[in-house]
Structures are given as C-alpha cells and as structure tokens.
Amino acid sequence: MKKVLTLLLSLVMMMLVITGCGSGDAEEEAAAPQLDGKSLTVYCGAGMTDPFQEIADTFKEETGCEMNVIFANAAQIQTQINTSQEGDLFIAGSADELKPVSDSVSDSVDLVKHIPVIAVQKGNPKGIGSITDLASDDVVTIIGDPESTPIGKIAQKMFADAGIQDSVNLAATTTTAPQLTTALDAGEADAAIVWKENVKGDNVEIADVAEMEKYIKTIPAASLTTTADQDTLQAFLDFLMTEKAQDIWTSYGYELVE
C-alpha cells in the first residue's frame, strides 16, 4: 500500500510540474514583444485616423515601439512613398490605392471592410432611398475629390453606373473623407458619399440604400520594401491580426473581413 501511495504522490507531483511549465509557456507566448528603441513609420488614410491612432497607441503601450503615423489622403501618401522611398507600412482606403505604389509594396494583408454609404440630413428630409435620388434637382451632394481620395472615386463610379454623372448637383469636393460629414452636419449639403465610420454629427444619419453594398472595399495593410526593420514590422502586423486590434476597428463601426 505504501508503494502505491508513493507512486500516486509522485504522479501528482509530476502533473503539477508539467502544468506549471505549460502555464509559463502560454504566458510567454501571449506576452507582447519588447521593442524599446524600435520605431515604425506608417502611412494611413486620413479617414481612418481615429481607429488607427488608437491601434498604434496600444501597440506602443504594450511594446515600447515608437509609432510615427502619417495621416493624409491617398494621393499625398502615394507621392510621399514614391519620392521619399521611406516607410514601413501603408494602411490604404482600398486595394486600388496600392497600384500607384506597387513597386514599393512587398506584401499586403486584408484588415477590415471599408463601407461607403450615403449620409443625409437628420430625418432624411429629401427622402433619399436610392442612388438615382441624388439626381433630383433639389438635392445638393458633396463627394471626396476623385483625384485624391478613394471615396471620391467610388462616388464617381456610382454616378456612372446609375447613369446620373451629368445630373448630380455637386456643391463641392473635399480632400479627406471626414471633411464630408463635417460639411453635411453644418448644413452645406443634403447628401454626401462617405465611409460609414465617418458619419458623425448631431444632424446627419445614414440613408437606407441597399445598392451601396456592391461598392464595399477592403482596407489592406501593405508592407513596404523600404522598411528598415522587418522583425519589428512583422510584430506590428501580428498585432493587427489580434482580437484586441480587431475590437478597436469594430468599435468604430468597421466590419471584419470574413
């Protein structure tokens, strides 16, 4: 009996040791890398300023890595990448925005969906329920600059697809997406083609227009060939795939890529 008890006690002790080691390994795997003294330069579309700044700040807090994030419209970022030949990552409004800098992109991964909507005045007083409603004489619309913003390019395609490109009463164009709802909220227009997450303000809402679904884009994270620290870049790319980073995106109204 003593031998049996001794054997059982030994087995229990071994299990405790093994369990303890396993727990330590799990904690080590879950621990964020320590990147003090490291830095990354990231270009990001201005329309994604709020969520991406929070993501960058969270990564810096966890790892110590300095995050130099440059927010601008797509055309400005593309010019800077091509002329400076510097930087580590480009968070673009859509995959189409990577084409002008394709020679500087080594790889890209999809992050979240970028959803265009028609934003209108609170209560939708003009009764906008379709893209063609924007061609009404009494509807004033604003869009992003098609030459510098992906949301502006989408607006132009929408108008062309609906055959109303010559009928829309355009009040103005803006160089960044957030400026669109700011102008709409101020009463400068009746409608705006804008990203879903940029619809903010007490006087604006999203019109229910099912046709908009076919214009949904995907936000890519494009690694640049000019990166000087591939390991640190990879650590940030890994962080972008974590539940913590994804929760930040979704808290701002973005939808995860399925």
Side-chain angles (χ1 to χ4, degrees), residues 127-145:
I128 296 170
S130 68
I131 295 173
T132 55
D133 286 341
L134 298 178
S136 298
D137 292 338
D138 63 339
V139 174
V140 176
T141 303
I142 51 177
I143 65 172
D145 179 8

Side-chain angles (χ1 to χ4, degrees), residues 103-137:
D103 289 344
S104 298
V105 174
S106 60
D107 192 19
S108 69
V109 293
D110 292 337
L111 297 178
V112 287
K113 295 179 182 178
H114 219 183
I115 303 172
V117 297
I118 298 177
V120 295
Q121 294 289 333
K122 198 73 173 179
N124 195 6
K126 294 299 176 72
I128 296 170
S130 68
I131 295 173
T132 55
D133 286 341
L134 298 178
S136 298
D137 292 338

